Amino acid sequence: MKRVAVVPLTLLLVSCNRQPQKLDQSPTPVHVSAVEMFTPRGGDRYSASMWPYRQVTLAFRVSGFVEAIHQVRGADGQTRSIDIGDVVEQGTVLARVRTKDYELPVAQTTSQVTQARETEQTARAQLSQAQAAAMKAAQDYERATALFGDKALTKPDYDAAKAQFDSTRAQVESAQSQIQVAAAAVKTAEAALGSANLGLLDTSLVAPFTAAVVQRSVELGGLASPAASAFVLADVNSIKASFGVPDSVVIQLKPGARLSVFADVLPQRAFEGIVDSIAAVADSSTRLFQVEVRIPNQGSLLRPGMVASLSLGSQAKPQPVAVVPLNAVIRAKEGNLAFAVFVVEGKQAKRKTVTLGATYGDRIAVSGVKPGEQVISTGATLVNDGELVEVIP
């Protein structure tokens, strides 16, 4: 029984050096495809990578045990924790660590602030009393000075008035100093309270914008630590297509220009995008200028990681070309740089030398064959020129 080799799906180019088939051998089973005409998109084609318009990694600023994760309703109708692929609105609390660990410092510092403010109020009341006493002592001292000058007041009474004046003035200075100390204590306590409140606020992780969850690294009851990634969010309402172009093309592009981008998985649909940024300097290794195009992603048809393409440069209308499956092309006997296909005529395989052109997905442009001819797409490496073949569905 004749052995049939397995043909890979990628382009397999081998020499056609098998011996001619004997007359008593059965036909070789093959699959065929018709030569088709294909009209490529105009201009030079560039491959682009798709990325989220913006992406952020979120981490807790404080450590603690995770006590809550945002819940959503799953496909089975049951509530579950948010996970990869879920979309969260801006301001959603994604997760929270145990708050009791941070409520106590807030209560303590709140008490310290209250006590410091009461101390400041007491110091201000003492200052008011000292100022009133100092004002009376100043008046008494002024009157005693006048009477003593007129020799209407004894020296001991004058000295007593002066001593009272000096004492009350010292009390005012002391009260002012105490107010400064109390005010400083209030600021210190308020700063501690602010830090404690910030720590309490940081027990919750909030979505900064509406986005899809790309990664979740926390679990209920798990220990979260500062700087350790908890969530990765990506804004996929818009997609960023990034590609490199040479200097001859970059001079034609301007920020705000509209371009049509084609996703390889949706080749017949054009996605309109706007040029967001153009690199000012070419990449040192490729000599290409990086261009980013922002594409509105209505219906979430585009996904980060998809491969896209676009055409730039020449505005000439493209001409149709004949294309065959990549698997149909084999190495020709004429040399390593020659290629051929097998065309089925009747029940025989006829080898035709072809010239290769550009590739379009799983097809390749060729010259040397006519539209409608049936070329062997599976089994081309198993037949010889003039060999009998059997076309199978």
Side-chain angles (χ1 to χ4, degrees):
M1 180 175 180
K2 186 174 180 180
R3 299 176 61 188
V4 178
V6 178
V7 180
L9 295 179
T10 57
L11 178 60
L12 182 60
L13 305 176
V14 297
S15 297
C16 300
N17 54 6
R18 298 182 62 223
Q19 297 298 321
Q21 185 182 27
K22 296 181 180 180
L23 295 178
D24 59 348
Q25 287 184 330
S26 60
T28 302
V30 295
H31 291 284
V32 298
S33 295
V35 177
E36 299 177 345
M37 297 303 293
F38 175 76
T39 303
R41 293 189 287 270
D44 296 326
R45 297 183 67 193
Y46 296 92
S47 179
S49 298
M50 292 189 179
W51 306 92
Y53 182 64
R54 51 181 173 172
Q55 182 169 307
V56 63
T57 299
L58 301 179
F60 284 101
R61 185 173 171 270
V62 298
S63 60
F65 291 98
V66 178
E67 68 175 6
I69 296 178
H70 182 63
Q71 299 293 298
V72 295
R73 190 173 298 278
D76 58 358
Q78 301 297 318
T79 57
R80 59 171 176 81
S81 300
I82 55 171
D83 213 334
I84 297 174
D86 292 330
V87 177
V88 293
E89 298 293 329
Q90 180 180 5
T92 300
V93 177
L94 303 175
R96 185 175 63 250
V97 298
R98 191 167 60 194
T99 58
K100 289 183 179 180
D101 299 335
Y102 297 90
E103 291 172 349
L104 181 59
V106 171
Q108 291 175 337
T109 51
T110 299
S111 177
Q112 292 172 0
V113 169
T114 301
Q115 184 177 356
R117 287 174 178 171
E118 290 176 352
T119 301
E120 183 183 21
Q121 291 176 355
T122 301
R124 292 188 181 279
Q126 292 175 348
L127 175 62
S128 297
Q129 294 175 358
Q131 288 174 334
M135 183 178 296
K136 182 178 182 304
Q139 293 173 350
D140 292 343
Y141 176 63
E142 184 179 357
R143 185 167 51 255
T145 300
L147 293 174
F148 184 72
D150 294 339
K151 302 203 182 286
L153 188 68
T154 63
K155 183 70 166 58
D157 290 338
Y158 170 76
D159 291 340
K162 185 176 183 305
Q164 182 65 21
F165 171 71
D166 292 339
S167 175
T168 54
R169 187 169 61 179
Q171 291 175 359
V172 169
E173 293 176 353
S174 176
Q176 290 174 337
S177 178
Q178 290 178 359
I179 288 178
Q180 292 177 354
V181 172
V186 169
K187 290 183 178 180
T188 300
E190 288 177 341
L193 177 60
S195 179
N197 279 323
L198 184 60
L200 181 59
L201 183 64
D202 287 337
T203 58
S204 296
L205 209 55
V206 180
F209 49 81
T210 299
V213 178
V214 176
Q215 179 181 333
R216 193 194 86 190
S217 305
V218 293
E219 295 290 345
L220 283 174
L223 180 63
S225 58
S229 173
F231 289 90
V232 177
L233 301 183
D235 181 0
V236 292
N237 290 322
S238 294
I239 294 294
K240 180 170 58 178
S242 178
F243 60 98
V245 296
D247 50 7
S248 59
V249 176
V250 75
I251 59 175
Q252 305 175 26
L253 297 176
K254 302 292 181 184
R258 293 185 174 274
L259 296 178
S260 294
V261 180
F262 296 84
D264 285 5
V265 295
L266 299 168
Q268 303 305 321
R269 176 166 179 174
F271 294 88
E272 295 296 325
I274 298 176
V275 176
D276 232 11
S277 64
I278 302 173
V281 180
D283 185 271
S284 59
S285 58
T286 64
R287 307 305 304 167
L288 297 178
F289 293 83
Q290 203 68 17
V291 180
E292 292 184 353
V293 177
R294 178 168 54 87
I295 308 168
N297 191 21
Q298 296 179 352
S300 300
L301 292 177
L302 300 177
R303 302 288 182 90
M306 284 183 175
V307 178
S309 62
L310 64 163
S311 299
L312 298 171
S314 174
Q315 300 300 317
K317 185 177 180 179
Q319 298 299 316
V321 293
V323 294
V324 299
L326 285 168
N327 289 349
V329 181
I330 60 173
R331 291 281 188 188
K333 288 183 177 181
E334 288 76 3
N336 292 334
L337 299 180
F339 301 93
V341 297
F342 279 106
V343 177
V344 176
E345 296 181 358
K347 294 185 178 182
Q348 285 187 318
K350 298 293 185 179
R351 182 171 61 85
K352 287 190 176 183
T353 302
V354 294
T355 302
L356 304 185
T359 58
Y360 306 98
D362 61 351
R363 297 178 294 175
I364 185 169
V366 296
S367 59
V369 291
K370 298 178 181 179
E373 287 187 310
Q374 301 292 317
V375 298
I376 297 178
S377 57
T378 302
T381 60
L382 304 176
V383 298
N384 290 308
D385 189 21
E387 185 174 330
L388 294 177
V389 295
E390 178 185 357
V391 176
I392 59 176

